[in-house]
Tab-separated table of all heavy atoms in Angstrom:
chain	number	residue	atom	x	y	z
A	811	HIS	N	-23.863	63.823	-32.927
A	811	HIS	CA	-24.200	62.388	-33.040
A	811	HIS	C	-23.752	61.719	-31.756
A	811	HIS	O	-22.651	61.943	-31.285
A	811	HIS	CB	-23.378	61.776	-34.210
A	811	HIS	CG	-23.748	62.308	-35.527
A	811	HIS	ND1	-23.770	61.547	-36.655
A	811	HIS	CD2	-24.091	63.551	-35.923
A	811	HIS	CE1	-24.121	62.254	-37.684
A	811	HIS	NE2	-24.315	63.506	-37.284
A	812	VAL	N	-24.626	60.849	-31.224
A	812	VAL	CA	-24.197	60.043	-30.070
A	812	VAL	C	-23.612	58.750	-30.638
A	812	VAL	O	-24.306	57.961	-31.167
A	812	VAL	CB	-25.341	59.636	-29.141
A	812	VAL	CG1	-24.771	59.179	-27.797
A	812	VAL	CG2	-26.364	60.683	-29.052
A	813	ASP	N	-22.290	58.570	-30.440
A	813	ASP	CA	-21.645	57.401	-30.925
A	813	ASP	C	-21.796	56.239	-29.948
A	813	ASP	O	-21.949	56.450	-28.728
A	813	ASP	CB	-20.134	57.739	-31.048
A	813	ASP	CG	-19.476	56.897	-32.116
A	813	ASP	OD1	-20.065	55.988	-32.632
A	813	ASP	OD2	-18.295	57.225	-32.417
A	814	ASP	N	-21.826	55.034	-30.462
A	814	ASP	CA	-21.799	53.870	-29.620
A	814	ASP	C	-22.881	53.879	-28.549
A	814	ASP	O	-22.641	53.542	-27.402
A	814	ASP	CB	-20.445	53.681	-28.913
A	814	ASP	CG	-19.310	53.645	-29.897
A	814	ASP	OD1	-19.550	53.362	-31.096
A	814	ASP	OD2	-18.142	53.925	-29.514
A	815	PHE	N	-24.070	54.300	-28.950
A	815	PHE	CA	-25.177	54.390	-28.022
A	815	PHE	C	-25.465	53.019	-27.364
A	815	PHE	O	-25.522	52.017	-28.096
A	815	PHE	CB	-26.441	54.889	-28.686
A	815	PHE	CG	-27.576	55.053	-27.736
A	815	PHE	CD1	-27.693	56.151	-26.939
A	815	PHE	CD2	-28.534	54.025	-27.645
A	815	PHE	CE1	-28.720	56.291	-26.044
A	815	PHE	CE2	-29.620	54.167	-26.724
A	815	PHE	CZ	-29.707	55.296	-25.954
A	816	GLY	N	-25.562	52.985	-26.074
A	816	GLY	CA	-25.894	51.715	-25.396
A	816	GLY	C	-24.678	51.004	-24.856
A	816	GLY	O	-24.796	50.008	-24.166
A	817	SER	N	-23.433	51.519	-25.141
A	817	SER	CA	-22.279	50.845	-24.660
A	817	SER	C	-21.923	51.261	-23.242
A	817	SER	O	-21.223	50.582	-22.521
A	817	SER	CB	-21.086	51.098	-25.570
A	817	SER	OG	-20.824	52.494	-25.528
A	818	GLY	N	-22.487	52.367	-22.796
A	818	GLY	CA	-22.168	52.875	-21.416
A	818	GLY	C	-23.330	52.595	-20.464
A	818	GLY	O	-24.158	51.767	-20.726
A	819	TYR	N	-23.332	53.342	-19.392
A	819	TYR	CA	-24.368	53.139	-18.384
A	819	TYR	C	-25.444	54.181	-18.336
A	819	TYR	O	-26.349	54.089	-17.624
A	819	TYR	CB	-23.729	53.092	-16.980
A	819	TYR	CG	-22.561	52.185	-16.859
A	819	TYR	CD1	-21.271	52.704	-16.688
A	819	TYR	CD2	-22.718	50.776	-16.860
A	819	TYR	CE1	-20.200	51.829	-16.575
A	819	TYR	CE2	-21.649	49.973	-16.731
A	819	TYR	CZ	-20.386	50.494	-16.601
A	819	TYR	OH	-19.319	49.654	-16.441
A	820	SER	N	-25.213	55.222	-19.160
A	820	SER	CA	-26.095	56.375	-18.891
A	820	SER	C	-26.863	56.795	-20.119
A	820	SER	O	-27.345	57.872	-20.233
A	820	SER	CB	-25.222	57.569	-18.439
A	820	SER	OG	-24.019	57.571	-19.119
A	821	SER	N	-27.005	55.835	-21.086
A	821	SER	CA	-27.630	56.143	-22.328
A	821	SER	C	-28.938	56.899	-22.230
A	821	SER	O	-29.126	57.934	-22.826
A	821	SER	CB	-27.878	54.844	-23.102
A	821	SER	OG	-26.755	54.032	-23.006
A	822	LEU	N	-29.841	56.337	-21.409
A	822	LEU	CA	-31.166	56.959	-21.371
A	822	LEU	C	-31.161	58.321	-20.689
A	822	LEU	O	-31.845	59.257	-21.100
A	822	LEU	CB	-32.181	56.018	-20.682
A	822	LEU	CG	-32.478	54.775	-21.536
A	822	LEU	CD1	-33.395	53.811	-20.791
A	822	LEU	CD2	-33.090	55.129	-22.877
A	823	HIS	N	-30.326	58.441	-19.668
A	823	HIS	CA	-30.146	59.733	-18.996
A	823	HIS	C	-29.698	60.769	-19.989
A	823	HIS	O	-30.197	61.927	-20.026
A	823	HIS	CB	-29.075	59.656	-17.922
A	823	HIS	CG	-29.610	59.173	-16.652
A	823	HIS	ND1	-30.471	59.850	-15.869
A	823	HIS	CD2	-29.396	57.942	-16.063
A	823	HIS	CE1	-30.773	59.138	-14.813
A	823	HIS	NE2	-30.148	57.969	-14.888
Side-chain angles (χ1 to χ4, degrees):
H811 295 217
V812 198
D813 206 351
D814 305 339
F815 181 81
S817 61
Y819 308 110
S820 37
S821 316
L822 291 176
H823 276 290

